[in-house]
Amino acid sequence: RSCDVHPSHSRLIWSPLTAIPGACCVAMGCFFSAEDQVVPLDEPEESDDPMAKLQAKIARLRAELKGDMSKLKESAQKWRYMSTTVGKLAHLNDQFENDLNDEANAHAALTYHIADQDAIDIYEACKGFGTNEEKLGRVILGRMKETIQLTDEIYQKRHKRTLEDQVRGENKTLLGMLGADSLSHYGRFLSYRTMPQCKRDALLFRRCVSGFGCSDKILVELLSTRTNDELRAAAEQYAKSFDGEDMVERIMKETGGFGKKWYGKWIDTLVEFDRDESGEMPDDIEDKAKQLYDAGAAKWMGCDEQVFIDILCKASEETCAAIAEAYENLEETKRSLAEDVEKKMGGDLEFAVLARVRNRMDFLAIRLHKACKGWGTDEECICRVLGCIDNLEVRALHALYDEMFSEEEPPLNDFKALVNKELSGSLAEAVIHCLECPPPKGHWHPKTTYEPSATADADQFRADLEEKFDEEKAMLLGGTDLHGPLKLCNVDEHFLCEGYDFDLCCVHEMHQDPDMSHVFECEPEDVPAAEKLIMALEGQISQVRQDTEKNNMAAEGAKAMYYDRAHSMRCKDNHLLQLCSDNTEMLEFCAQRDAETVHEAVDGWGTNEDKLIRVLCSLTKRQLRRVDEIYAEKYGKTLREVTDGELGGLFEGSFKYFMKCAITPPAELDAELLRESMKGLGTNDTLLCEIVCTRSNKELQDAKALFAEAEGKSVEEWVEGDTSGFYTTFLLRCLRADRHEGYSDADLADQQADKLHAAGLCGGDVEEAVFLKVLPQASEEQVRLIRQAYEAKYGKTMVEAIKDMGGDMEKALLARVHDKVTYYATVLNGAFAGWGTDEKATSRVLGRSTKGYIKRISERYEELFGGSLRQAINGETSGDFKKALLTYIFAEAPGEADSEPPGEDEAEEAPPQEEEEAEEAQEEEPAEAVEIGDAMVPKGVVAGFIGALRSEYVNDEGAMVGKFFDDCQVDGEFVEALTPYEDKAREADDKAAFIDGLAAGWGV
């Protein structure tokens, strides 16, 4: 293994090591490169000197050890890189997971907010006489299916009718749509958009087979453009909607008979609903194309229809396209497959075969073209084609149409121009809106595609990572300073989202060669010493090789985690990027609309507090900030200035104060609250301690800066002037804002608990220095550990011990020792205790907190005090203040609470059993109702309507009828029944007499 110099000869000896490229040779302290030319010499005579033999072996072992140590260093560096990188990937995965959850929650909140406002807009567009078709169409046609479904859910919950039912107006049953004049084309277009697909397709199939004959073209269109699952769902819904009738049997019955043999067989095959959807391409595409040619174009007369049925009916769209392409490449053919079908076939069979030969989008584009060409326009076809696909496909179909028919004469060569010429009124505006409207998310891709897309990107990223991974590069990186951002081997672009290339630490030190001086520097003087050295060298070589093997195995084992975690990180990164992009667009969309709604609420005479609550209190802090910016840009006022100016009088101490806390940025609010705690006579010590003792370092620093800027003096100067003694010293120490955030030590907490106990928590004189040293700097986690240690040692909680101290120090210490969630829950409980309610404390805690943080406070409140926060608010507050609180806290998602501002008399939630009993009682004893028009209106609603009529038309109290309908969420059917009588009351000469007559006639 080495090139040695024999101790008794001054000539080189041949060694196997010289055959290893790049190896290093050691000879009596001199080094030679293996690439240097070494001439093999004759072997020396065997020496009889035992010492000489041992020294030669020592030299060889030392050379081996040097080589092994070099390999150990390489393995250690590779392991250091792999271990550090895997650790960084784990940290980044956690960070991405947290951020992904935050953005997913924001995405859900924004989506719900859009759907909620859409439900309100649709209701407002439809209520009363006439319909605001522009507003209705803008909402229904400008949203994705997922948003329409959510809006429908909200609408049903609020108004007890579906969007489809609202759009269809008085057509209450599916059969009502079968009449030719039951709906305008515009109404039908919107109906297609609002109906669940299975229900819509079932209805379309029903229309195909009803009446005289069968609408074969529509039938073929449906069977050829739906998937197997969609067709099965339609068949199942058909049976439910039409008294159990079998859709397949009805279709087969309508498409058979004289003169329809092959068309009937074609349809019979399609309605088996087992078309190939595997995505696999057959191997015999060319053979199938040749069979079709032989069965059709090659025949002098007629064609073999069964071959077309066997090959095309159940083939996938991709297979049909491949067959059509192969058909054109046949030597025998001069035309395309579609052209030969048109030449050899006719009637319904020709149309059915062409629907399979052409791809789905081409087929639909041709349907639109034929609907507009020639005399008249087939509006139903246009409504059906565009109403049954989503906006993403509408845009694609628009582009495809313009490309396919670019050679046609105007306006047939431009679909948008064609729509403007062939359609008119609301339908034309609706179709154009469908083609042009920007979506709230900035794109039309459904959310269901995000995860598959992210996974596909991550799969490709992993494949690239595995391909580019270089063992030598990993080893070299392991020998560098790994403190800093993530470095993946031979990959420069790690992240799709910005802001994640931050520094991460490396916990593994650089490799240091072990101390081998005891085997390299000593020279044995006798045989025993030489043998001992040889044993030590062999032991070191064995150990180094074992360590090298361990490092290599660990590095190799880390590879799987390296690839897995990189894949997971990239998947989350991609998904996060999509959600962030959506949220940015939706935030802007919502903020623009919300700013307009706020302006509507405060514009003109008086303020619509309900609308203001509905908009502002349903928003997250992030949304509020953006609405504030937009409102200021448009109208020259901040939201705070608007609420300060519009809300006054009775609302000064409650609703207005809450809106201030909810709208004002946290640092600005804290600065204002600090001033409020110390202004005038006396000091609000509870408020002062809440701000100084519960805020984070950054929150305190930001508030202090704004306070000094506004007041011209520091917070510290105000505190010194308004407080005294140890209380002052403690507050000033907390105001330094230097808590050791993120640091905790259980052993230290144990010691600190002992010190605090001895310093006065056990009673007696207080040793201020200990309190000042421990609590102002301890992090929240460290305080939690101190609390645990104190209770374990002394059988009493720190909170109990502090309460024995009394005075202002008790308030300060409790604010510091409690975790924030517990502290805020306790403040709320104190605000609700005794006579009256501390509305400012309630507003401060809830208005300043984010909605997510309020959930934690609410859960903690229930844990500590038994009742729910909702129950407490219902019992302790009233009016607009109550509405604002309930909307802000609970109106966030379907099933949790309605997003409309709850009424003042909103009852506490009943237990499920009581709710069921109440529902059963209602079923057994229906409320009295009055027949008005076609509706049975409950007497309570009628009485409320009469009262609202008197308030508006006799007492001149403003638009009380509309307010009654909105506040009481009167069902749309009842509104439609009652509205004509409002019109009559408005026109009556003696309004009071007319209203009294109505009341008498209706028995209320």
Side-chain angles (χ1 to χ4, degrees):
R1 297 290 306 274
S2 64
C3 186
D4 304 314
V5 176
H6 197 281
S8 60
H9 302 279
S10 59
R11 58 196 180 99
L12 291 173
I13 300 174
W14 171 254
S15 166
L17 185 60
T18 58
I20 302 175
C24 184
C25 303
V26 182
M28 297 297 286
C30 299
F31 293 84
F32 299 86
S33 171
E35 280 82 5
D36 294 337
Q37 187 174 4
V38 180
V39 180
L41 303 175
D42 296 334
E43 288 291 332
E45 296 178 7
E46 186 70 24
S47 172
D48 294 330
D49 185 356
M51 190 63 182
K53 290 181 179 180
L54 293 175
Q55 286 177 334
K57 186 172 183 178
I58 288 170
R60 287 196 299 273
L61 290 174
R62 281 174 171 169
E64 282 188 43
L65 182 56
K66 278 186 176 287
D68 288 344
M69 286 176 65
S70 177
K71 292 176 183 176
L72 174 63
K73 181 178 181 179
E74 291 175 359
S75 70
Q77 289 181 180
K78 185 167 67 173
W79 171 82
R80 179 172 179 263
Y81 167 75
M82 294 300 296
S83 178
T84 299
T85 305
V86 166
K88 289 184 177 183
L89 285 167
H91 179 86
L92 286 164
N93 265 292
D94 289 343
Q95 184 69 49
F96 273 112
E97 184 70 29
N98 291 335
D99 293 348
L100 189 58
N101 286 336
D102 288 344
E103 291 298 329
N105 289 335
H107 195 281
L110 286 164
T111 302
Y112 182 76
H113 184 66
I114 290 170
D116 182 66
Q117 187 60 46
D118 285 347
I120 294 168
D121 286 350
I122 290 171
Y123 179 75
E124 291 179 349
C126 297
K127 74 177 181 180
F129 277 109
T131 301
N132 186 336
E133 293 183 340
E134 190 272 333
K135 190 173 189 177
L136 186 65
R138 187 177 67 241
V139 172
I140 291 176
L141 300 174
R143 303 291 182 268
M144 300 179 67
K145 281 184 181 179
E146 56 199 36
T147 310
I148 289 290
Q149 289 169 358
L150 182 55
T151 303
D152 191 28
E153 180 183 341
I154 295 168
Y155 203 86
Q156 288 185 59
K157 182 178 179 183
R158 189 170 294 155
H159 302 295
K160 306 299 183 286
R161 68 190 306 183
T162 64
L163 290 183
E164 172 209 348
D165 185 50
Q166 181 68 69
V167 169
R168 288 192 289 114
E170 294 300 318
N171 298 303
K172 302 297 181 186
T173 64
L174 288 175
L175 291 174
M177 284 191 72
L178 301 179
D181 299 320
S182 62
L183 271 181
S184 66
H185 290 301
Y186 173 74
R188 188 160 292 174
F189 185 36
L190 296 190
S191 293
Y192 290 149
R193 280 305 184 100
T194 55
M195 295 174 75
Q197 181 173 340
C198 62
K199 188 176 180 182
R200 180 189 65 211
D201 286 349
L203 178 62
L204 289 172
F205 276 116
R206 180 70 173 184
R207 292 178 62 197
C208 289
V209 298
S210 296
F212 184 75
C214 176
S215 302
D216 293 291
K217 284 185 168 54
I218 300 176
L219 180 63
V220 168
E221 178 187 309
L222 295 172
L223 291 173
S224 302
T225 59
R226 274 34 171 194
T227 66
N228 293 332
D229 286 342
E230 289 169 348
L231 290 170
R232 293 189 195 103
E236 185 178 342
Q237 182 63 44
Y238 186 98
K240 291 179 183 177
S241 299
F242 304 109
D243 299 325
E245 184 176 73
D246 188 293
M247 185 181 87
V248 172
E249 289 182 4
R250 181 65 183 271
I251 290 173
M252 294 173 71
K253 177 183 176 183
E254 293 292 333
T255 54
F258 179 75
K260 289 193 171 186
K261 174 185 175 183
W262 294 113
Y263 172 67
K265 283 192 173 184
W266 182 277
I267 296 299
D268 290 351
T269 306
L270 286 183
V271 296
E272 292 175 7
F273 306 150
D274 60 351
R275 192 163 61 240
D276 176 29
E277 294 175 349
S278 65
E280 298 176 1
M281 192 71 70
D283 296 329
D284 57 346
I285 294 294
E286 289 79 8
D287 289 343
K288 291 181 184 298
K290 183 66 166 60
Q291 290 175 46
L292 291 175
Y293 176 77
D294 292 340
K299 287 184 175 294
W300 179 74
M301 193 174 173
C303 68
D304 188 346
E305 290 88 348
Q306 188 63 51
V307 174
F308 282 81
I309 292 172
D310 293 341
I311 292 176
L312 297 177
C313 249
K314 294 192 177 183
S316 67
E317 183 174 322
E318 295 78 14
T319 299
C320 288
I323 291 172
E325 183 179 350
Y327 189 95
E328 289 192 40
N329 293 329
L330 293 174
E331 292 181 3
E332 301 93 327
T333 187
K334 298 178 182 179
R335 291 177 293 270
S336 68
L337 178 56
E339 289 170 337
D340 277 340
V341 167
E342 289 174 336
K343 185 172 184 295
K344 299 295 291 185
M345 297 182 183
D348 294 330
L349 179 61
E350 175 193 324
F351 183 81
V353 174
L354 289 175
R356 299 293 298 123
V357 169
R358 295 178 174 125
N359 71 55
R360 174 171 169 268
M361 294 300 279
D362 284 354
F363 173 74
L364 293 177
I366 292 170
R367 293 288 284 151
L368 291 176
H369 181 259
K370 290 187 176 179
C372 298
K373 193 171 184 178
W375 287 98
T377 303
D378 188 349
E379 288 94 346
E380 163 58 24
C381 179
I382 296 172
C383 292
R384 188 179 61 253
V385 169
L386 298 181
C388 293
I389 60 178
D390 59 35
N391 288 52
L392 185 64
E393 290 185 310
V394 168
R395 304 295 176 91
L397 190 57
H398 176 199
L400 178 63
Y401 180 97
D402 288 353
E403 179 184 343
M404 287 180 68
F405 301 105
S406 59
E407 302 299 321
E408 292 272 354
E409 292 292 324
L412 287 170
N413 62 343
D414 184 326
F415 185 64
K416 192 183 294 185
L418 187 62
V419 167
N420 281 319
K421 180 179 182 298
E422 297 292 327
L423 305 180
S424 61
S426 296
L427 179 59
E429 292 175 2
V431 173
I432 294 299
H433 182 69
C434 216
L435 297 175
E436 296 179 341
C437 66
K441 294 197 302 186
H443 64 86
W444 292 106
H445 297 283
K447 190 181 175 185
T448 52
T449 64
Y450 295 178
E451 250 183 79
S453 174
T455 301
D457 177 71
D459 290 344
Q460 184 59 52
F461 183 74
R462 177 175 183 148
D464 293 343
L465 203 62
E466 292 180 0
E467 181 183 348
K468 293 178 180 179
F469 188 83
D470 185 339
E471 301 277 353
E472 185 175 351
K473 180 68 178 290
M475 181 269 294
L476 292 173
L477 286 171
T480 62
D481 181 9
L482 291 177
H483 291 281
L486 174 71
K487 291 180 183 177
L488 295 179
C489 190
N490 287 330
V491 176
D492 296 326
E493 298 297 329
H494 302 141
F495 307 112
L496 297 171
C497 294
E498 294 181 358
Y500 291 89
D501 54 347
F502 46 78
D503 289 347
L504 294 168
C505 66
C506 171
V507 297
H508 305 296
E509 298 293 333
M510 289 270 204
H511 172 76
Q512 297 293 330
D513 286 334
D515 183 9
M516 296 289 181
S517 58
H518 62 292
V519 294
F520 278 113
E521 295 179 3
C522 65
E523 293 297 336
E525 296 180 355
D526 51 28
V527 170
E531 289 175 342
K532 185 177 180 180
L533 178 58
I534 287 172
M535 288 181 62
L537 281 166
E538 288 175 339
Q540 290 293 347
I541 289 172
S542 176
Q543 184 62 52
V544 167
R545 288 177 179 173
Q546 286 179 29
D547 291 345
T548 301
E549 182 65 19
K550 286 180 183 177
N551 288 339
N552 285 332
M553 289 178 65
E556 192 62 32
K559 262 192 190 179
M561 286 191 289
Y562 176 85
Y563 294 134
D564 288 346
R565 290 180 180 176
H567 179 276
S568 176
M569 181 195 74
R570 181 68 170 210
C571 188
K572 293 171 185 174
D573 187 9
N574 186 294
H575 197 176
L576 179 64
L577 179 68
Q578 186 61 69
L579 290 181
C580 287
S581 174
D582 284 4
N583 289 346
T584 300
E585 295 291 336
M586 287 195 291
L587 180 65
E588 191 66 17
F589 176 87
C590 291
Q592 294 285 349
R593 186 162 69 170
D594 292 338
E596 293 293 338
T597 306
V598 170
H599 186 65
E600 290 174 10
V602 299
D603 193 30
W605 184 259
T607 301
N608 186 334
E609 284 88 0
D610 282 349
K611 182 174 281 192
L612 204 59
I613 289 170
R614 189 185 70 214
V615 177
L616 296 182
C617 293
S618 65
L619 304 180
T620 64
K621 295 287 187 182
R622 181 179 175 186
Q623 290 171 277
L624 276 172
R625 286 196 297 271
R626 186 58 187 139
V627 174
D628 189 28
E629 292 169 356
I630 291 173
Y631 195 90
E633 290 172 7
K634 285 189 172 184
Y635 304 109
K637 286 184 178 181
T638 65
L639 292 180
R640 173 69 183 278
E641 289 170 336
V642 170
T643 54
D644 282 350
E646 295 292 332
L647 306 178
L650 295 175
F651 307 115
E652 183 66 36
S654 52
F655 180 36
K656 179 177 179 178
Y657 191 86
F658 172 74
M659 295 306 295
K660 176 186 81 170
C661 293
I663 291 170
T664 309
E668 187 180 326
L669 179 63
D670 284 347
E672 198 169 326
L673 293 175
L674 282 169
R675 181 179 183 279
E676 182 181 317
S677 70
M678 295 180 281
K679 72 177 180 179
L681 294 174
T683 302
N684 185 338
D685 293 294
T686 301
L687 175 55
L688 180 60
C689 292
E690 180 181 318
I691 306 301
V692 174
C693 299
T694 67
R695 301 302 192 247
S696 69
N697 292 340
K698 187 175 187 309
E699 287 173 332
L700 263 184
Q701 290 161 1
D702 291 346
K704 284 165 59 179
L706 289 175
F707 183 95
E709 182 182 335
E711 303 301 328
K713 290 174 67 177
S714 68
V715 176
E716 289 84 353
E717 290 176 276
W718 277 56
V719 168
E720 285 183 289
D722 276 62
T723 60
S724 60
F726 177 37
Y727 177 49
T728 303
T729 310
F730 187 81
L731 293 179
L732 291 175
R733 183 65 189 81
C734 291
L735 280 168
R736 291 188 192 176
D738 59 354
R739 290 185 96 164
H740 296 161
E741 293 173 340
Y743 173 79
S744 61
D745 184 326
D747 293 334
L748 178 60
D750 195 64
Q751 300 169 23
Q752 290 171 327
D754 289 336
K755 290 179 180 179
L756 289 169
H757 183 73
L761 274 186
C762 60
D765 294 334
V766 173
E767 192 177 338
E768 298 177 3
V770 175
F771 284 85
L772 292 172
K773 183 176 181 181
V774 174
L775 294 177
Q777 284 192 301
S779 67
E780 280 194 73
E781 176 61 19
Q782 185 68 15
V783 171
R784 184 185 68 80
L785 294 174
I786 295 171
R787 287 200 311 269
Q788 290 178 347
Y790 190 92
E791 185 172 2
K793 285 180 173 238
Y794 303 109
K796 186 178 187 179
T797 68
M798 280 185 71
V799 171
E800 291 170 336
I802 289 169
K803 286 182 178 179
D804 292 339
M805 298 175 70
D808 294 333
M809 270 308 298
E810 176 188 326
K811 297 174 183 175
L813 291 176
L814 286 176
R816 200 64 167 181
V817 168
H818 273 309
D819 64 272
K820 285 185 182 179
V821 173
T822 299
Y823 179 77
Y824 291 145
T826 305
V827 170
L828 287 174
N829 185 60
F832 298 141
W835 286 98
T837 301
D838 186 345
E839 294 171 335
K840 285 194 173 183
T842 305
S843 299
R844 197 169 63 237
V845 170
L846 298 177
R848 187 189 181 280
S849 300
T850 65
K851 291 176 181 278
Y853 205 76
I854 290 174
K855 285 183 181 178
R856 295 173 57 191
I857 295 171
S858 179
E859 290 167 1
R860 186 61 174 151
Y861 183 93
E862 190 161 355
E863 288 174 10
L864 291 172
F865 308 112
S868 72
L869 186 57
R870 179 191 282 271
Q871 290 171 329
I873 291 171
N874 270 315
E876 296 293 333
T877 62
S878 61
D880 287 330
F881 180 48
K882 175 180 175 180
K883 291 180 185 179
L885 290 177
L886 291 174
T887 302
Y888 187 73
I889 300 170
F890 300 109
E892 292 186 0
E896 291 183 0
D898 198 352
S899 65
E900 286 285 323
E904 289 188 32
D905 298 323
E906 180 184 56
E908 295 180 2
E909 293 178 324
Q913 185 178 355
E914 293 178 11
E915 290 179 349
E916 291 171 5
E917 291 172 357
E919 289 172 1
E920 290 171 3
Q922 287 176 359
E923 290 174 4
E924 294 170 3
E925 299 179 18
E928 281 190 272
V930 179
E931 185 174 357
I932 302 176
D934 294 331
M936 295 300 295
V937 185
K939 272 200 171 182
V941 174
V942 176
F945 175 68
I946 292 293
L949 281 178
R950 287 199 179 98
S951 297
E952 181 168 346
Y953 296 105
V954 178
N955 302 332
D956 292 328
E957 294 178 11
M960 299 304 292
V961 174
K963 191 173 190 303
F964 163 70
F965 287 152
D966 289 342
D967 288 354
C968 297
Q969 298 181 19
V970 177
D971 190 282
E973 180 183 2
F974 304 152
V975 172
E976 290 180 10
L978 294 169
T979 298
Y981 294 94
E982 180 189 6
D983 296 334
K984 292 177 181 178
R986 185 187 300 114
E987 296 168 359
D989 294 330
D990 189 343
K991 294 178 173 54
F994 176 78
I995 295 170
D996 289 342
L998 279 181
W1002 289 337
V1004 297

